[in-house]
Amino acid sequence: MAHGDLVSAADLPEAKKVEHWYQLGGVDVMAPSNAVAVVALGDSITDGHGATTNGNDRWTDVLARRLGSSPSTQAVGVLNQGIGGNHLLTDGLGPNVLARFDRDVLAQTGVRYVIVLEGVNDLGGLTRDREVSAAEHALLVRRIEEAYQQVVLRAHAHGIKVIGATILPYTGSDYYHPGPASEADRQAINQWIRTLGHFDEVVDLDKVMRDPAHPDRLLPEYDSGDHLHPSPAGYNAMGNAIPLSLFAH
């Protein structure tokens, strides 16, 4: 940040560095005619909570570097549309996925693919303050599945392929303190995501990130420490788990 009219300045040597992007929401760049984009639509796990500050080691950064280094995908860019605290169904920190889909996916330039990694905040929020009835758990699962279906329909209407990502484990989280019923909800939704015919493709990030000895928890080395957000090593594993063949065109 710098004071004064510096629109024409080639450099800002006296600028003060800050750890936030206050004004900039995105950048469009000149690109070849075959260039396309993949939107990463998600919450804080896509936004990068737990990644290294200024380290560019979110899973979207890892994926972008891999795409750029492969001859078959060099023309594929990654648009990080993660919002911390975001929900599929209700507004929170930012509008819900269904409300922001037009702006954050359809209105972006050159979008051909979208990766959907959303739902943990909906699941955790249901029982954050108190346990609820089995009927309320079942209703939330159904509504999340219906939200995914709407995302797929709206994307397909614009020729966009939708890649569903399974929801990561979060047992042990002090923020949501999920119990067995919430874990059962996550398992049910992940099974729905994995079922053929729902998404165009599936990336099973749950399988990549879970502790085989305790599959309702993140693998310790992939856990940032809050049992909800991945560590830099976890984000690296996520970014490397996405097959580049999904984006070859």
Side-chain angles (χ1 to χ4, degrees):
M1 298 179 69
H3 293 287
D5 182 355
L6 301 171
V7 172
S8 300
D11 195 8
L12 302 173
E14 304 300 322
K16 176 184 177 182
K17 292 184 178 180
V18 293
E19 303 293 351
H20 302 277
W21 298 330
Y22 288 113
Q23 308 284 345
L24 191 63
V27 178
D28 260 352
V29 298
M30 296 295 294
S33 59
N34 67 330
V36 300
V38 51
V39 171
L41 187 64
D43 47 42
S44 56
I45 295 173
T46 297
D47 190 33
H49 185 88
T52 307
T53 300
N54 292 327
N56 296 319
D57 56 7
R58 300 164 293 182
W59 71 262
T60 50
D61 300 316
V62 176
L63 176 60
R65 283 192 289 270
R66 292 178 59 224
L67 289 167
S69 64
S70 173
S72 64
T73 56
Q74 283 182 336
V76 182
V78 177
L79 309 182
N80 188 324
Q81 297 288 19
I83 299 177
N86 200 227
H87 290 217
L88 274 165
L89 301 171
T90 57
D91 294 338
L93 296 177
N96 69 76
V97 164
L98 298 182
R100 69 186 181 99
F101 190 79
D102 285 8
R103 182 197 65 189
D104 288 351
V105 179
L106 301 182
Q108 301 303 313
T109 304
V111 177
R112 185 78 63 82
Y113 312 94
V114 57
I115 301 173
V116 181
L117 178 56
E118 283 266 12
V120 69
N121 291 320
D122 298 81
L123 290 174
L126 180 68
T127 59
R128 186 182 178 198
D129 298 323
R130 60 180 179 86
E131 187 51 82
V132 300
S133 68
E136 289 176 272
H137 279 279
L139 177 61
L140 179 66
V141 169
R142 187 171 75 250
R143 292 185 65 213
I144 287 175
E145 293 168 357
E146 289 170 350
Y148 289 148
Q149 289 175 318
Q150 187 175 150
V151 165
V152 171
L153 287 171
R154 290 165 68 181
H156 283 179
H158 293 266
I160 297 170
K161 179 181 286 189
V162 187
I163 300 160
T166 48
I167 299 172
L168 309 187
Y170 65 108
T171 292
S173 161
D174 288 335
Y175 187 72
Y176 285 134
H177 46 81
S182 293
E183 174 61 12
D185 294 344
R186 188 182 72 90
Q187 293 291 348
I189 291 167
N190 280 348
Q191 186 56 45
W192 189 94
I193 292 170
R194 295 182 185 109
T195 301
L196 292 176
H198 291 156
F199 287 100
D200 297 305
E201 302 284 353
V202 175
V203 178
D204 199 345
L205 295 181
D206 168 47
K207 184 177 180 180
V208 172
M209 299 295 289
R210 69 194 181 206
D211 183 348
H214 305 282
D216 61 341
R217 293 175 177 265
L218 290 169
L219 192 70
E221 67 186 272
Y222 291 166
D223 188 341
S224 67
D226 67 3
H227 311 305
L228 175 63
H229 298 95
S231 64
Y235 283 126
N236 186 64
M238 291 170 66
N240 280 305
I242 300 171
L244 298 189
S245 58
L246 297 177
F247 313 107
H249 69 285

